Amino acid sequence: MFKIAKFITADLLKNKVMLLYLIFLWTVCFGLFSLQGQGDKALTGILNVSLLVTPMICLIFATIYFYNMYEFMMLMHAQPIKRKTLFMALYLSLAVVFTCVYLLGAGIPLLIMNAGAASIFMIIGTAFLNFIFVALALGVAVWTKDKSKGMGFSLLIWVYFVLLFDGIILLLMYNFSDYPIEKLVLYISFLNPVDLMRILVLMQTEAAALMGYSGAIFQKVFTENWGISIILLVMLVWTVLPLGLSLKAYNKKDL
């Protein structure tokens, strides 16, 4: 598996998309820190960009890359190589490369310009998002052989997790504003790793004070050690579950 992963990783590092992604992250990080001046404001801006761009590029790129590598994978299957080995090599290569690019493009600038718990949690959370959305993208690509349909479903997943889910939460809070639903919203946030990362990072900054009563509840939970442990555990479940389902589907797929 490691030889295959090494070959795929080398191929990914040669891809111009990775270089453009790295340059984009560098530009955003240093640009926001230069313009904002204050660490928390720049951190919030980088967080918003990361939550918007990271899932999208992981979903779109991983889906396209799987389709482009399909003939190579068929050639590998002609050899005495297990499906699980090939799939895991592809998954780990994509997830690790995306994580390394983010670490170089945003992680190091964050640690240099604004070292602290919020920056560390942002790096860890983004690493989880890379592994989660690469697994989701590969699952979509395995599910359908149609490239255009696969791209469409990947974009729908991005729209749901990044845009639609927040709208559902806001609608819920607006319609039931007379009731104490803050804890319910807290539990619902577990269903979205993107929201989970956003809340976890914001709770480490002064921006938590702007979230009102619900922000006080979130801050009480997410800033304590046991609360952070629960969040990381949920993120780990979000990482393992899509990967397991995608791998199971690939093992049963008629190639």
Side-chain angles (χ1 to χ4, degrees), residues 15 19 28-29 59 63 66 77 91 99 110 116 125 134 143 208-209 213 231 248:
N15 197 298
L19 179 60
V28 169
C29 287
L59 284 166
T63 303
F66 180 89
H77 282 309
Y91 167 74
T99 302
L110 279 171
V134 166
W143 177 66
Y213 179 59
I231 299 308
K248 184 178 180 180

Side-chain angles (χ1 to χ4, degrees), residues 1-249:
M1 182 178 74
F2 293 105
K3 289 184 178 180
I4 300 173
K6 183 179 179 181
F7 172 80
I8 297 175
T9 301
D11 182 63
L12 287 170
L13 293 175
K14 295 176 184 177
N15 197 298
K16 293 182 180 180
V17 174
M18 295 299 174
L19 179 60
L20 292 174
Y21 184 38
L22 177 64
I23 295 172
F24 171 78
L25 291 173
W26 268 82
T27 304
V28 169
C29 287
F30 285 108
L32 285 174
F33 275 114
S34 299
L35 293 174
Q36 297 289 351
Q38 298 181 3
D40 280 354
K41 289 185 177 180
L43 189 72
T44 304
I46 295 171
L47 173 64
N48 291 330
V49 172
S50 298
L51 294 177
L52 186 68
V53 174
T54 298
M56 180 174 63
I57 192 169
C58 285
L59 284 166
I60 295 176
F61 184 87
T63 303
I64 294 175
Y65 193 78
F66 180 89
Y67 288 121
N68 292 341
M69 291 288 287
Y70 191 76
E71 293 183 0
F72 167 78
M73 296 174 72
M74 294 303 100
L75 179 62
M76 289 293 100
H77 282 309
Q79 310 298 320
I81 299 175
K82 294 181 179 179
R83 290 192 178 192
K84 179 181 178 180
T85 300
L86 184 58
F87 186 85
M88 289 302 298
L90 177 62
Y91 167 74
L92 290 175
S93 298
L94 283 165
V96 170
V97 168
F98 273 120
T99 302
C100 290
V101 170
Y102 186 86
L103 181 62
L104 292 173
I108 293 177
L110 279 171
L111 295 176
I112 293 174
M113 307 292 289
N114 189 51
S119 297
I120 293 173
F121 280 122
M122 187 184 300
I123 295 170
I124 295 173
T126 306
F128 272 114
L129 292 185
N130 286 327
F131 280 84
I132 291 168
F133 284 98
V134 166
L136 289 172
L138 294 182
V140 169
V142 169
W143 177 66
T144 176
K145 292 183 178 181
D146 190 336
K147 189 173 182 178
S148 59
K149 186 183 293 186
M151 286 293 300
F153 277 109
S154 293
L155 287 173
L156 282 176
I157 291 174
W158 176 76
V159 168
Y160 170 75
F161 280 111
V162 177
L163 303 176
L164 188 60
F165 190 89
D166 287 341
I168 295 173
I169 294 296
L170 288 173
L171 184 64
L172 181 66
M173 294 184 71
Y174 176 77
N175 289 329
F176 296 94
S177 58
D178 295 333
Y179 302 92
I181 63 169
E182 285 78 11
K183 289 187 177 180
L184 176 62
V185 173
L186 175 65
Y187 296 136
I188 292 176
S189 66
F190 289 168
L191 300 176
N192 186 354
V194 175
D195 260 12
L196 214 55
M197 175 187 164
R198 177 189 291 116
I199 296 171
L200 182 60
V201 174
L202 287 179
M203 290 306 101
Q204 314 302 321
T205 68
E206 295 179 357
L210 303 177
M211 297 177 66
Y213 179 59
S214 59
I217 293 179
F218 290 155
Q219 192 172 31
K220 181 179 179 181
V221 174
F222 284 94
T223 54
E224 295 182 1
N225 292 332
W226 66 270
I228 294 173
S229 300
I230 291 175
I231 299 308
L232 295 178
L233 180 61
V234 173
M235 295 286 277
L236 182 61
V237 171
W238 264 107
T239 304
V240 174
L241 187 60
L243 175 60
L245 294 175
S246 300
L247 181 57
K248 184 178 180 180

